[in-house]
C-alpha cells in the first residue's frame, strides 16, 4: 500500500496535485474538505454544523473528520493506497490516522508539503472564489483566517511526521506539471 499525506496551506495546490497523483499511482483520494462539502450538499446534521465553522475559516472538530476518514478507509478495502488531502490538520488527527491505518495493517509512507507564501495563497483563493461557489474563498479576511489557522494549528503536524523521518517539502509555486514531476520523483525515491 502507498499512503501519502499531501500537506500545505489552503490554496497550496493539494487538490490539483491529488487529482494527478491518484491517476498516476492508482490511489484513492480522501479529501476531508470534499467529504464535508458532500455532507453539506446532502443537508445532513453533520453538514449543517460543519458549514458554520467552514464558512468562518475555522476547523471542524477532530472527532468529526476522524469518523469520516475511518468510514472511508473501511469502504475502500481493496484500495492500493490513499492520498490524504487536508487531513490530518491537527496532531490529534495525525495520531488517530496512525491508529486507524494500523488496524488495516498499513502506515503512512510519507508526507509531502507544498510551500507557498501567504500573498500567493490569498491571490489564488480569491481567484478560485470567483468560480468555486465556496463561501470560504470569497472574502479576504476569511482566507487570511484560514492561513492563520494553518500556521497556528496545522503546521505542527509537519513535526509529527518529521519525527518519523517521513516529512518532505518542495516549492509549490511554478508550473503544475513541473511540481507534479518533482512530487513523483520524491515519492518514487522516499515514500
Ligand atoms: P482548503 O485547504 O482550501 O482550506 P479544504 O477543502 O481542505 O480547503 O477545507 C475547507 C474547510 O473544511 C477548512 O477550512 C475546515 O473548516 C474544514 N476542514 C477540512 N478538513 C479538515 C480537517 N482535517 N480538520 C478540521 N477541519 C477541516
Amino acid at each position: 500500500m502507498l499512503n501519502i499525506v499531501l500537506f500545505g496551506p489552503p490554496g497550496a495546490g493539494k487538490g490539483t496535485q491529488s487529482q494527478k497523483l491518484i491517476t498516476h499511482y492508482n490511489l484513492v483520494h480522501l479529501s476531508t474538505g470534499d467529504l464535508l462539502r458532500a455532507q453539506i450538499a446532502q443537508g445532513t446534521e453533520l453538514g449543517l454544523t460543519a458549514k458554520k465553522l467552514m464558512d468562518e475559516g475555522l476547523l471542524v472538530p477532530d472527532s468529526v473528520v476522524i469518523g469520516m476518514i475511518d468510514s472511508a478507509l473501511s469502504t475502500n478495502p481493496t484500495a492500493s493506497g490513499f492520498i490524504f488531502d487536508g487531513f490530518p490538520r491537527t496532531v490529534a488527527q495525525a495520531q488517530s490516522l496512525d491508529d486507524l491505518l494500523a488496524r488495516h495493517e498499513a502506515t503512512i509512507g510519507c508526507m509531502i508539503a507544498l510551500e507557498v507564501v501567504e500573498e500567493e495563497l490569498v491571490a489564488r483563493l480569491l481567484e478560485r472564489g470567483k468560480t468555486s461557489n465556496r463561501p470560504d474563498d470569497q472574502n479576504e479576511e476569511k482566507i487570511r483566517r484560514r492561513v492563520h489557522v494553518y500556521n497556528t494549528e496545522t503546521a505542527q503536524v509537519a513535526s509529527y511526521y518529521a519525527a518519523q523521518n517521513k516529512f518532505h517539502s518542495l516549492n509549490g509555486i511554478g508550473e503544475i506539471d513541473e511540481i507534479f514531476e518533482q512530487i513523483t520523483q520524491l515519492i518514487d525515491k522516499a515514500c
Side-chain angles (χ1 to χ4, degrees):
M1 248 191 159
L2 178 62
N3 295 309
I4 292 163
V5 176
L6 204 53
F7 194 65
K14 301 184 294 291
T16 304
Q17 296 296 339
S18 292
Q19 288 310 323
K20 298 173 73 73
L21 290 166
I22 55 171
T23 310
H24 188 85
Y25 292 105
N26 187 29
L27 303 174
V28 173
H29 182 208
L30 288 185
S31 155
T32 40
D34 288 350
L35 292 170
L36 289 164
R37 282 184 289 275
Q39 293 286 328
I40 293 173
Q42 289 165 34
T44 64
E45 201 166 319
L46 188 158
L48 279 175
T49 317
K51 181 172 168 40
K52 294 194 187 96
L53 293 161
M54 292 167 75
D55 286 354
E56 289 306 314
L58 302 171
L59 296 184
V60 305
D62 287 340
S63 57
V64 171
V65 287
I66 291 165
M68 290 191 321
I69 292 288
D70 189 6
S71 50
L73 291 177
S74 302
T75 49
N76 288 284
T78 58
S80 53
F82 296 90
I83 298 270
F84 296 93
D85 162 7
F87 179 91
R89 258 174 156 96
T90 63
V91 172
Q93 291 178 20
Q95 285 162 343
S96 296
L97 179 57
D98 276 348
D99 294 345
L100 289 176
L101 288 173
R103 273 197 245 150
H104 298 263
E105 286 165 14
T107 55
I108 290 296
C110 69
M111 163 181 273
I112 295 178
L114 298 173
E115 289 173 11
V116 177
V117 291
E118 177 161 346
E119 290 319 303
E120 171 76 11
L121 298 171
V122 173
R124 286 183 186 182
L125 291 174
L126 283 172
E127 192 58 35
R128 185 170 81 184
K130 290 179 188 166
T131 53
S132 73
N133 268 331
R134 280 181 54 170
D136 58 344
D137 281 348
Q138 286 168 14
N139 172 304
E140 181 166 342
E141 195 188 323
K142 286 180 189 170
I143 290 172
R144 288 197 190 271
R145 187 178 305 152
R146 279 152 67 203
V147 176
H148 177 75
V149 167
Y150 173 82
N151 288 329
T152 53
E153 299 180 49
T154 302
Q156 50 200 298
V157 175
S159 312
Y160 180 87
Y161 290 96
Q164 300 182 15
N165 280 322
K166 291 177 178 173
F167 176 78
H168 306 274
S169 72
L170 47 86
N171 182 3
I173 298 183
E175 291 293 324
I176 288 170
D177 286 340
E178 276 170 27
I179 295 166
F180 175 69
E181 188 63 33
Q182 288 174 28
I183 295 175
T184 57
Q185 281 175 15
L186 205 52
I187 290 175
D188 294 343
K189 192 174 68 173
C191 300

